[in-house]
Amino acid sequence: MKPARILFVCLGNICRSPLAEGILRQQAGETRREVTVDSAGTGGWHLGNAPDPRSIAVAERHGIDIGQQRCRRVEQTDFERFDLIFGMDHGNVEQLRLLAPPPAQTRIHLFLDYALGTALDVPDPYYSGVDGFETVYTMLSDGCSSLIGRLDERFS
Ligand code: 4NP
């Protein structure tokens, strides 16, 4: 079984993509699907920081520890190192398309479009309350379990 190399990308790399990284790592462990998973942001406001405390808290409520992750920005080498690069929303995908060289364009997808076949954004919860983070958690968790099924089809 080939390990799929997956990069989740959002704007700040402190709310959505670190959560996605933690959820996929946990679900992959439970299903014995080998993955390399990482996350990054297109913006550089929080470089080196831990995830937002609200993302750490929602992950913790679901038994996942994301506290050791550190914020980083998308780099050019990411476009060679990862098989699938998922933007959380349409804006992230647009930014990724501007940054990526031509051969990597086909690796870039809107996450829920690839995972669930619904071209929905995972909304930015930065200015929302706890409910926003729970909603994001549910969307990411549903997306990740469906994604693992797709990986079994493609990386076997
Ligand atoms: P994320 O959320 O893209 O899900 O990490 C955000 C976090 C921080 C900012 C924007 C979005 N910010 O503008 O600092």
Side-chain angles (χ1 to χ4, degrees), residues 9-18 45-46 52 55 88-89 92 123-127:
V9 175
C10 62
L11 181 58
N13 189 216
I14 55 167
C15 296
R16 292 166 290 177
S17 59
W45 307 284
H46 306 278
D52 187 288
S55 275
M88 293 285 119
D89 64 34
N92 307 144
D124 182 351
Y126 190 58
Y127 294 104

Side-chain angles (χ1 to χ4, degrees), residues 14 16 26-28 40 49 52 55 57 69 78-79 81 99 101 104-105 114-116 122 136 141:
I14 55 167
R16 292 166 290 177
Q26 189 205 44
Q27 290 188 359
N49 291 358
D52 187 288
S55 275
Q69 293 185 35
D78 289 329
F79 297 111
R81 289 173 47 219
L99 291 169
Q105 293 288 331
Y114 187 92
L116 293 173
V122 178
V136 162
S141 182

Side-chain angles (χ1 to χ4, degrees), residues 98-119:
L98 291 173
L99 291 169
Q105 293 288 331
T106 55
R107 302 173 179 204
I108 298 168
H109 306 271
L110 181 68
F111 175 52
L112 291 182
D113 193 19
Y114 187 92
L116 293 173
T118 53

Side-chain angles (χ1 to χ4, degrees), residues 26-48:
Q26 189 205 44
Q27 290 188 359
E30 285 167 359
T31 57
R32 294 168 185 242
R33 149 60 59 187
E34 241 188 289
V35 291
T36 298
V37 57
D38 197 1
S39 66
T42 58
W45 307 284
H46 306 278
L47 300 179

